[in-house]
Structure formats: structure tokens, C-alpha cells
Amino acid sequence: MLEMRPVCEKCGRELPPDSPDAVICSYECTFCREHELEACPNCKGELVRRPTRVLPAPAVAVEAGPPGVQVTPSGYLLNRQDGSQGRLSDLEKVEILNEDEVYFVLIGPENSLVIPQSTPGTAELLAHLQKLPGFQHDKFLEAMDGQGRFTCWERPATAESAP
Ligand SMILES: [Zn+2]
Ligand SMILES: [Zn+2]
């Protein structure tokens, strides 16, 4: 599957999967169309417009509710303190970031959610994460005591699903 890199490698602008403004080379190096690059600066290869990808709509429209994190059948939903909402439909990696405060960092193929431990719902989130096959509970405990970033879970590498 085409890798939809989320940002321009030249200016760092966000290029979400549905953006019509991304160009890519055959290695999926990704840039804004507006730089009018003649060729990929990394590999000198041809750049073409990236096809847009329509992201599946959430099964149920959820009103932005009070701050909190929820595990839903369609993924993870975060209502932030500022009223904005973040979603993650597919989980590839779980990190714990311990910098004065502890954060759950849920990383997906296209975006990530950074969830302060003080957010309502993190106890339920943790209970859910601990059931992921291969979740490293000892890393989690280490993260609670230490400073820095700790990877607690990664999606096991599997072969592409057979047709
Ligand atoms: Zn750019
Ligand atoms: Zn390239």
C-alpha cells in the first residue's frame, strides 16, 4: 500500500491523506506541490501528484464531549482540554513519555495522539493497552519511574494480508 507520509519533507507542512497538494517520488518521499520541485531532492527521481486517500468516516459522529479519552470500536477518541478532538483508527506503536508529566503516545500510520495521564479515561485506556498481545508491562513500570520515552508495544511485523 502507498505510504501516505503526513508532512512535507522540505517545509514540514502537514499533508494529510486527503490533501490534493502533495507530490511524491517512487520511494514516497513527500513534498508540497507549491515548491515546484523539478525532481525529488533525495533520490533525483520523478515527482508526481499523490492520489488522495479518503479516510473512512467514523461509524458514529461523536459530538466533542467533555475532556477525556475513549476506546471505541472504530479506534481511539481524545477530547482535549481546548475542545479539539483527535482520533486514531489504527494503532502501530504505544510509547510512554515521562517528562515531569506522564503522557500516553499512541502512534498510528498517519497520525498520533499524545494523551496526558491526567486526562479522564486513561485508567480504562491503560487497561485496554495492557491487553494488547505483547504489551511490555515492565517497560510501562520503568517509564513510570524514569524520564524519557519508552516503547511499550509495537504491532508485530506481519506479512501483507493475502488476497
Ligand atoms: Zn513543503
Ligand atoms: Zn525520492
Side-chain angles (χ1 to χ4, degrees):
M1 189 163 80
L2 183 69
E3 187 189 340
M4 305 293 273
R5 297 193 188 162
V7 293
C8 169
E9 291 173 33
K10 187 174 166 75
C11 70
R13 185 185 136 193
E14 284 188 34
L15 291 169
D18 60 354
S19 167
D21 297 324
V23 294
I24 57 172
C25 75
S26 68
Y27 296 106
E28 298 157 334
C29 308
T30 303
F31 305 94
C32 307
R33 191 161 57 167
E34 67 198 25
H35 301 307
E36 296 183 348
L37 297 166
E38 303 249 307
C40 174
N42 302 328
C43 69
K44 315 293 178 227
E46 184 183 9
L47 289 170
V48 298
R49 186 178 155 251
R50 184 177 72 183
T52 56
R53 182 175 295 167
V54 178
L55 296 178
V60 184
V62 184
E63 294 272 310
V69 60
Q70 290 168 43
V71 182
T72 73
S74 58
Y76 304 90
L77 180 68
L78 172 64
N79 288 310
R80 301 190 183 91
Q81 292 287 352
D82 65 4
S84 70
Q85 200 173 63
R87 288 169 192 284
L88 191 74
S89 53
D90 204 14
L91 189 62
E92 293 201 326
K93 194 171 175 184
V94 177
E95 290 180 345
I96 300 293
L97 177 64
N98 193 341
E99 279 181 348
D100 303 328
E101 197 181 348
V102 172
Y103 300 86
F104 292 83
V105 185
L106 306 185
I107 301 170
E110 271 134 19
N111 64 327
S112 56
L113 293 179
V114 180
I115 306 162
Q117 195 186 20
S118 57
T119 305
T122 49
E124 291 80 359
L125 174 68
L126 177 60
H128 162 83
L129 294 175
Q130 286 175 331
K131 290 188 204 128
L132 294 172
F135 186 88
Q136 294 182 278
H137 194 69
D138 51 336
K139 279 279 174 204
F140 177 77
L141 295 176
E142 208 183 304
M144 293 294 114
D145 281 342
Q147 287 269 311
R149 226 172 228 278
F150 300 81
T151 300
C152 295
W153 182 81
E154 264 184 287
R155 178 185 295 282
T158 49
E160 290 278 311
S161 54

